[in-house]
């Protein structure tokens, strides 16, 4: 029986009982009988029927091969002439029963009748009743008017209609574009989309011009859609770049100063630089920055970098402190702050109230509601619904969740001010010119505009105080002096200036202009020189933005854009200045100077600028005026490049010892691995042959552990862990590792691949003998353990920086050391450092000597004596080349492919009926994590895997527009760095080799530690 006939038979037997068997097809027997009818007195099984059928077919005589048959017939289906059918009739007649049992025969017929009735009653198609009529009887009205149908079908159609009403799906509520673009509908849609990811107030502006990404619970602009890489660099170097940093989180601490300082001292260390007790920062005059650790755990358990501002003293015993943290670090730092201050109980449940509309908007809403029922907005209950209002601030906040915690013992209150204070950053030498042109100091006001409104009532009260008026005038005078400064870097680092300004939307120019400084006005001004030397006085750092009630008043009484445009339209001279008089809003702001590049000797002050702190709700009111002054806007990628050119660590990318940094590394590895897998094996690099053990993640723990093992195995000195007692060792010296069978493959001559055999201080290590059972998931768990620290002691970093400085034929390094008061590099000096930090990393910057472009996860290696000798002889020598390695996993990958093919064949055989071949479970588990081109086992000794000893990894690298050469930033092992510096000649100090993961070519680079 062919496949089509089997399907046809299965369709017939679908609703039949198990005891009934129908013939395959009617045959040409007399009386309409079939070729193989079952006995009338008994019911055959289907298997007996098939056997009987095939026996009947085999009884016919054979015919010639060239005999013609009708279409659709073959030898196995139909008889060949009279003989074939005659044989079938004879076999049927021979098997006819002589008698039947009535009860059995009646049961069989009853089952057939029930099956027939069931088949008739069951609807076999999805068509409606009127669709079953012949086409000439159908009418269009039948689909909605049942009486148009014949009377015999009307009852069935009525039942179908009732059933369709219940099953009818709810119609889509998608409105037309005109309805969707109405203001009230747009606001409702935007509010709905902000419930999951926080939108900045400039989100709509960015979404039209930037590539947007969802990160850290926010929707942020990553990079501009236009080509602006060099333009953004020029803006940072020559003019001004604007960034929205409102996604940074503000944690406010309020309480007694002594209680605050006592507990905050536990989570920071004076060894790393500033602390919360710094006098200049404690007064509120300067902004400070530091690294936080878990309580009493320095130098381990890093939490992350923060910046902080103290509110200037106002005579009260309570002080306010703002700690600004990256959103990736917020939860860890907030949890630690609540632990040290014992703030377990919430102070109050914060229920955000919808921002009240202005008086004009409320009057306009009343007019709309009284026009008629058509325009009246009502809810389901018939009452007036609350009008849809734009979300200002954090739209994801739960109204029943607390965002403020109080300590019952000390009375200290911790408040989460995220998205309550906006933060913009201006970067570039003319950022202060943009500020002075955009913002104007607020005018004094002693009378209220209207007794019913609360517009500027706080400002009127403060203007009645002569001391506060005098303070405002001094702040305005200092702000105007900024126009005579050539660059923000000339101001003292972290200077804070408080100010109250008018509405910047009033001062908008007719078209975009470029803000330029006015040096002629302040060329010989003594006040500008005094501002250079002394900075901003302490009392001028005061701002009303610290008062939460004033910020709320300013946000709620903001004049809408619609009202401003209506006032502009009523001007007698179109385009003239709009003077709002006492109706103009007064906004308290805070200006904080950013010092730019402070470490190193080249480009001091590059990337300096100003941070502007604003109350929420005023984001776009300040953003657009800045745009009209010719600034260029940057996103997350521009912020990354800004820190890269400053050679400072970027949060959280360059903090591998904190939880956020580990999470970032894990996500980056996952994305790079998925991208690697998407490419076919022939179009991707084989990192095993290139000698790259970990191309997608930096195994910092493995690196520091291997360097510790090298030093212990060499027997040079005994090191102690940070948890053990520090012990000093007696006279020891370092020695270079020996190299055996190191053969360099020339790029011109295609030599055969050679297996690397490198003898380290721990013994001979052969890559072909290295095996393990650790897969990628287990390796991730190993790397997340915090078994290393990053050296951040300023004293030790300055010492290392002086040791890295080369002589270069002159006595420059000695003069630098004597100038910094550092000591020469001897064993008595650096052995205590190694014992204090056995597994430590050091942040370094590297610049290539010649051509080359460093990439992410590039390897930093130690050059051999032959490499340095070759470089001294040939100044154009770019660097050595790594010989190719043998892929020890290739045969395992091939074996895995063969097993998959066998398994596929086994599944095919199982379908056909043969028993499948089951592969060995142990072999399948062994090869489960194999990927062609990647090291799939546990990592061997990463320091001695290649011909050059590994020192560290690059976390960021690219061609630098600022330096004009390839530059990289990364971490190296402290033990390996001291090992290298101790053995390098004086004129070659700090020379290292760089190799990208997908290349065999090493490049010479200069290593620096900038403090």
């Amino acid at each position: 029986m062919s496949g089509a006939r089997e399907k046809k038979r299965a369709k017939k037997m679908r609703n039949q009982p198990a005891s009934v068997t129908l013939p395959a097809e009617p045959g040409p027997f007399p009386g309409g009988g079939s070729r193989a009818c079952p006995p009338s007195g008994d019911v055959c099984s289907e298997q007996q029927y098939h056997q009987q059928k095939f026996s009947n077919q085999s009884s016919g005589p054979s015919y010639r091969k060239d005999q013609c048959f009708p279409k659709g017939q073959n030898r196995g289906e139909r008889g060949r002439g009279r003989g074939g059918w005659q044989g079938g009739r004879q076999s049927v007649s021979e098997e006819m029963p002589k008698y039947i049992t009535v009860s059995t025969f009646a049961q069989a017929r009853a089952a057939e009748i029930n099956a027939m009735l069931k088949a008739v009653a069951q609807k076999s198609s999805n068509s409606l009743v009127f669709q079953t009529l012949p086409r000439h009887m159908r009418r269009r009205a039948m689909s909605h008017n049942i009486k148009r149908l014949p009377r015999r079908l009307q009852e069935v159609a009525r039942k179908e209609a009732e059933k369709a009403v219940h099953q009818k799906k709810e119609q889509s509520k998608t409105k037309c574009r005109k309805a969707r673009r109405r203001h009230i509908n747009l606001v409702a849609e935007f509010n709905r989309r902000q419930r999951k990811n926080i939108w900045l107030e400039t989100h709509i502006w960015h979404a039209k011009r930037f590539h947007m990404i969802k990160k850290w619970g926010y929707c942020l602009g990553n990079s501009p859609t236009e080509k602006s890489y060099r333009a953004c660099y020029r803006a940072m170097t020559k003019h001004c770049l604007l960034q929205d940093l409102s996604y940074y989180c503000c944690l406010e601490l309020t309480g007694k100063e002594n209680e605050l300082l006592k507990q905050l001292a536990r989570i920071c260390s004076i060894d790393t630089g500033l602390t919360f007790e710094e006098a200049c920062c404690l007064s509120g005059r300067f902004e400070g920055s530091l690294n936080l650790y878990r309580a009493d755990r320095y130098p381990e358990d890093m939490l992350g970098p923060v910046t902080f501002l103290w509110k200037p003293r106002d005579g009260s015993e309570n002080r306010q402190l703002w700690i600004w943290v990256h959103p990736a670090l917020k939860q860890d730092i907030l949890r630690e702050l609540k632990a040290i201050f014992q703030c377990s109980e919430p102070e109050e449940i914060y229920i955000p109230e919808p921002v009240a509309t202005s008086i004009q908007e409320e009057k306009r809403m009343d007019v709309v509601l009284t026009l008629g029922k058509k325009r009246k907005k009502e809810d389901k209950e018939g009452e007036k619904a609350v009008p849809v209002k734009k979300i200002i601030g954090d739209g994801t906040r739960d109204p029943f969740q607390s965002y403020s915690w109080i300590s019952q013992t000390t009375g200290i209150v911790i408040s989460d001010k995220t998205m309550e204070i906006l933060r913009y950053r201006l970067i570039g030498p003319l950022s202060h010119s943009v500020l002075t042109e955009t913002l104007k100091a607020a005018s004094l006001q002693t009378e209220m505009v209207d007794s019913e409104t609360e517009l500027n009532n706080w400002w009127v009260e403060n203007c009645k105080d002569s001391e506060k008026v005098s303070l405002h005038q001094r702040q305005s005078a200092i702000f105007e002096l900024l126009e005579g400064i050539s660059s923000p870097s000339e101001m003292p680092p972290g200077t804070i200036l408080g100010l109250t300004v008018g509405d910047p939307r009033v001062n908008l120019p007719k078209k975009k202009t470029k803000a330029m400084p006015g040096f002629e006005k302040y060329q010989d001004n003594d006040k500008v020189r005094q501002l250079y030397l002394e900075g901003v006085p302490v009392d001028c750092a005061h701002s009303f933005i610290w008062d939460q009630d004033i910020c709320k008043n300013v946000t709620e009484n903001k004049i809408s854009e619609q009202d401003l445009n209506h006032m502009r339209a009523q001007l007698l001279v179109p385009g003239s200045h709009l003077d709002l008089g006492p109706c103009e809003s007064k906004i308290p702001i805070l200006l904080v100077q950013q010092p730019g590049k402070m470490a190193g000797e080249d480009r001091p002050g590059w990337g300096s600028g100003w941070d502007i702190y604003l109350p929420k709700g005023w984001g776009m009111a300040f953003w657009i005026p800045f745009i009209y002054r010719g600034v260029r806007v940057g996103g997350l990628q521009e912020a990354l490049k800004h820190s890269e050119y400053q050679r400072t660590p970027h949060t959280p990318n360059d903090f591998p010892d904190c939880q956020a940094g580990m999470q970032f590394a894990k996500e980056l590895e996952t994305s790079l691995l998925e991208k690697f897998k998407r490419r076919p094996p022939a179009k991707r690099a084989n990192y095993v042959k290139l000698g790259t053990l970990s191309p997608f993640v930096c195994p910092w723990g493995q690196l520091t552990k291997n360097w510790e093992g090298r030093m212990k195995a060499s027997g040079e000195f005994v090191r102690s862990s940070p948890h053990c007692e520090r012990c000093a060792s007696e006279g020891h010296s370092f020695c270079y590792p020996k190299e055996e069978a190191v053969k360099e493959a020339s790029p011109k001559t295609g030599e055969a691949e050679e297996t690397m055999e490198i003898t380290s201080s721990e013994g001979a290590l052969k890559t072909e003998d290295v095996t393990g059972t650790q897969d990628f998931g287990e390796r991730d768990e190993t790397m997340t353990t915090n078994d290393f620290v990053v050296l951040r002691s300023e004293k030790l970093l300055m010492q290392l920086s002086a040791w890295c400085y080369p002589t270069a034929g002159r006595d420059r390094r000695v003069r630098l050391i004597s100038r910094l008061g550092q000591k020469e590099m001897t064993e008595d000096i650096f052995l205590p450092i190694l014992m204090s930090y056995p597994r430590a990393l050091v942040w370094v910057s590297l610049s290539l000597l010649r051509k080359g472009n460093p990439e992410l996860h590039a390897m930093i290696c130690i050059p051999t004596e032959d490499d340095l000798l070759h470089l001294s002889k040939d100044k154009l020598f770019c660097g050595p080349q790594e010989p190719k390695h043998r892929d020890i996993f290739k045969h395992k990958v091939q074996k895995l492919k063969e097993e998959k093919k066998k398994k596929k064949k086994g599944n095919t055989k199982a379908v056909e009926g043969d028993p499948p071949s089951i592969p060995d479970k142990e072999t399948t588990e062994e090869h489960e994590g194999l990927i062609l081109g990647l090291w799939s086992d546990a990592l061997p000794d990463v320091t001695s895997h290649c011909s050059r000893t590994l020192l560290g990894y690059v976390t960021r690298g690219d061609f630098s527009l600022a330096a004009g050469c390839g530059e990289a930033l990364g971490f190296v092992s402290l033990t390996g760095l001291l090992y290298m510096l101790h053995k390098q000649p004086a004129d070659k100090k700090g020379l290292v080799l760089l190799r990208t993961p997908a290349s065999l070519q090493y490049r010479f680079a200069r290593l620096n530690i900038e403090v």
Side-chain angles (χ1 to χ4, degrees), residues 899-949:
E899 289 176 359
K900 287 183 179 179
K901 288 182 180 179
K902 289 180 181 179
K903 189 176 181 181
K904 192 174 182 181
K905 289 181 180 179
N907 293 338
T908 308
K909 290 180 180 179
V911 173
E912 295 175 357
D914 298 339
S917 57
I918 302 173
D920 188 8
K921 289 185 178 180
E922 296 180 359
T923 312
T924 307
E925 293 176 358
E926 181 183 356
H927 298 164
E928 188 177 358
L930 286 177
I931 301 174
L932 184 63
L934 295 180
W935 192 279
S936 303
D937 285 345
L939 293 181
D941 189 349
V942 295
T943 59
S944 58
H945 180 69
C946 298
S947 61
R948 304 303 185 273
T949 306

Side-chain angles (χ1 to χ4, degrees), residues 54-238:
F54 291 136
S55 65
N56 296 342
Q57 291 177 354
S58 62
S59 61
S62 60
Y63 281 81
R64 296 195 309 261
K65 294 182 180 179
D66 55 349
Q67 185 175 357
C68 296
F69 301 99
K71 187 176 180 181
Q73 294 183 5
N74 53 40
R75 291 186 177 88
E77 292 182 357
R78 295 191 181 274
R80 309 300 189 262
R82 237 177 244 177
W85 296 123
Q86 185 180 1
R89 286 195 295 268
Q90 290 175 355
S91 62
V92 171
S93 63
E94 289 175 359
E95 295 178 2
M96 290 292 291
K98 295 181 180 180
Y99 59 90
I100 61 172
T101 306
V102 177
S103 59
T104 308
F105 182 78
Q107 288 178 1
R109 300 294 77 76
E112 290 179 359
I113 292 171
N114 289 334
M116 181 180 64
L117 292 175
K118 184 178 180 182
V120 171
Q122 186 175 1
K123 193 175 179 181
S124 59
S125 63
N126 295 326
S127 58
L128 298 175
V129 174
F130 72 89
Q131 291 174 329
T132 60
L133 289 171
R135 292 187 180 276
H136 71 279
M137 293 181 64
R138 296 183 190 179
R139 297 294 181 269
R140 184 181 300 172
M142 290 180 179
S143 59
H144 56 81
N145 190 359
I146 298 175
K147 292 183 179 180
R148 292 282 185 176
L149 284 166
R151 289 185 178 179
R152 63 184 177 85
L153 299 176
Q154 287 183 7
E155 187 65 27
V156 182
R158 192 174 289 106
K159 291 180 180 179
E160 285 185 354
E162 292 176 358
K163 188 177 180 181
V165 170
H166 296 293
Q167 293 182 347
K168 190 175 182 181
K169 294 182 180 178
E170 188 178 355
Q171 290 185 354
S172 175
K173 295 183 179 180
T174 306
K175 301 177 182 178
C176 63
R177 176 176 170 80
K178 184 177 180 181
R180 291 197 310 266
R181 298 302 297 175
R182 288 196 189 107
H183 177 70
I184 190 169
N185 294 333
L186 274 180
V187 173
E189 175 65 12
F190 291 161
N191 289 351
R192 182 190 65 81
R193 289 161 60 185
Q194 292 182 63
R195 298 297 180 187
K196 190 172 184 181
N197 292 289
I198 303 174
W199 283 11
L200 307 184
E201 293 191 13
T202 58
H203 173 85
I204 301 296
W205 190 95
H206 277 92
K208 296 178 180 179
R209 300 164 179 86
F210 275 68
H211 297 288
M212 307 299 290
I213 59 172
K214 292 178 174 62
K215 218 169 187 180
W216 310 308
Y218 293 84
C219 210
L220 305 175
N222 190 39
S223 60
T225 52
E226 62 178 354
K227 293 183 179 179
S228 58
Y229 180 80
R230 289 178 178 268
C232 288
Y233 169 74
R234 285 195 298 268
M236 286 187 282
T237 307
K238 298 179 180 179

Side-chain angles (χ1 to χ4, degrees), residues 156 188 226 240 274 320 408 421 556 710 837 941 992:
V156 182
E226 62 178 354
C240 183
L274 294 177
Q320 276 181 266
Q408 299 297 332
I421 304 295
E556 293 177 352
R710 286 172 69 94
Y837 298 93
D941 189 349
V992 295

Side-chain angles (χ1 to χ4, degrees), residues 545-717:
I545 199 173
W546 289 95
D547 194 331
Q548 185 177 357
D549 295 333
I550 291 178
C551 289
K552 185 178 180 182
N553 184 299
V554 171
T555 300
E556 293 177 352
N557 293 282
K558 174 190 172 185
I559 301 177
S560 66
E561 291 285 343
Q562 186 177 4
D563 294 337
L564 272 180
N565 293 333
H566 183 67
M567 294 176 189
R568 289 193 184 102
Q570 293 179 346
L571 289 173
L572 294 177
V573 181
S576 59
H577 177 71
L578 177 63
D579 186 11
L580 297 179
C583 295
E584 183 180 2
S585 300
K586 309 299 188 295
I587 307 104
I589 66 171
L590 203 63
L591 302 177
V592 181
Q593 189 263 1
Q594 296 298 317
K597 190 176 185 300
M598 299 179 66
E601 298 180 352
D602 58 329
R603 297 180 285 115
W606 185 93
S608 59
W610 290 89
D611 280 7
I612 306 102
Y613 297 87
L614 315 167
K616 70 174 182 179
W618 284 88
M620 288 304 296
F622 279 76
W623 186 265
I624 298 300
F626 284 144
I627 301 296
Y628 267 76
R629 263 66 184 193
V631 302
R632 184 168 285 274
V633 181
L636 295 179
Q637 290 301 316
E638 284 67 35
L640 188 68
K641 287 296 174 185
H642 177 240
S643 64
E644 184 176 325
Y645 290 156
Q646 288 189 97
R647 297 171 188 160
T648 56
H650 189 72
T651 309
N653 310 24
D654 301 322
F655 290 86
D657 55 339
C658 73
Q659 291 297 327
M662 295 179 198
Q663 181 66 23
F664 173 82
K666 194 173 181 180
E667 293 174 358
L668 180 63
E669 180 191 16
T670 303
S671 63
L672 292 177
L673 184 60
E674 289 177 356
K675 184 179 179 181
F676 180 81
K677 288 179 180 179
R678 283 197 298 267
R679 306 190 69 183
K683 304 299 180 187
R684 63 193 186 197
N686 189 326
Y687 291 109
V688 180
K689 289 186 177 181
L690 294 170
T692 306
L693 290 173
S694 183
F696 306 136
V697 69
C698 302
W700 302 117
Q702 181 88 356
L703 176 70
T704 54
K705 184 179 179 180
N706 291 154
W707 269 108
E708 183 184 23
R710 286 172 69 94
M711 296 300 104
K712 285 182 178 179
S714 63
E716 310 230 353
F717 57 91

Side-chain angles (χ1 to χ4, degrees), residues 335-351:
R335 194 180 301 111
E336 191 67 21
L337 288 175
K338 288 194 289 185
I340 62 174
F341 288 111
Q342 300 176 0
C343 297
S344 56
E345 297 183 5
E347 181 192 26
E348 59 183 357
I349 296 179
Y350 172 74
I351 301 178

Side-chain angles (χ1 to χ4, degrees), residues 810-820:
R810 299 178 183 177
D811 202 18
R812 293 177 59 191
R813 187 179 66 86
V814 176
R815 287 205 303 270
L816 179 68
I817 291 176
S818 60
R819 188 179 67 192
L820 296 177

Side-chain angles (χ1 to χ4, degrees), residues 802-971:
W803 289 342
C804 292
Y805 208 87
T807 301
R810 299 178 183 177
D811 202 18
R812 293 177 59 191
R813 187 179 66 86
V814 176
R815 287 205 303 270
L816 179 68
I817 291 176
S818 60
R819 188 179 67 192
L820 296 177
Q822 305 297 333
K823 302 176 183 178
E824 288 287 345
M825 187 176 185
T826 59
E827 293 184 6
D828 297 336
I829 301 299
F830 64 74
L831 284 181
I833 299 176
L834 288 178
M835 288 189 293
S836 302
Y837 298 93
R839 294 187 184 181
L841 298 175
V842 182
W843 173 258
V844 296
S845 63
L846 306 108
S847 65
L848 293 173
L849 298 186
R850 286 171 187 83
K851 66 178 183 178
N853 192 19
E855 297 176 1
L856 179 68
H857 300 152
M859 290 162 281
I860 308 170
C861 302
I862 302 176
T864 61
E865 294 178 353
D866 294 339
D867 297 335
L868 298 176
L869 185 61
H870 195 172
L871 180 64
S872 59
K873 290 181 180 179
D874 183 9
K875 297 299 181 183
L876 299 178
F877 178 56
C878 292
Q881 198 170 23
E882 174 75 14
K884 282 189 178 180
H885 295 236
R886 187 174 70 86
D887 190 354
I888 62 175
F889 302 102
K890 189 174 182 180
H891 69 283
K892 295 183 180 179
V893 176
Q894 292 175 350
K895 190 175 179 181
L896 182 62
K897 285 184 178 180
E898 293 175 359
E899 289 176 359
K900 287 183 179 179
K901 288 182 180 179
K902 289 180 181 179
K903 189 176 181 181
K904 192 174 182 181
K905 289 181 180 179
N907 293 338
T908 308
K909 290 180 180 179
V911 173
E912 295 175 357
D914 298 339
S917 57
I918 302 173
D920 188 8
K921 289 185 178 180
E922 296 180 359
T923 312
T924 307
E925 293 176 358
E926 181 183 356
H927 298 164
E928 188 177 358
L930 286 177
I931 301 174
L932 184 63
L934 295 180
W935 192 279
S936 303
D937 285 345
L939 293 181
D941 189 349
V942 295
T943 59
S944 58
H945 180 69
C946 298
S947 61
R948 304 303 185 273
T949 306
L950 184 68
L951 190 61
Y953 291 96
V954 169
T955 57
R956 281 185 288 155
D958 199 358
F959 182 84
S960 173
L961 296 176
C965 64
E967 283 196 344
L969 301 169
F971 291 93

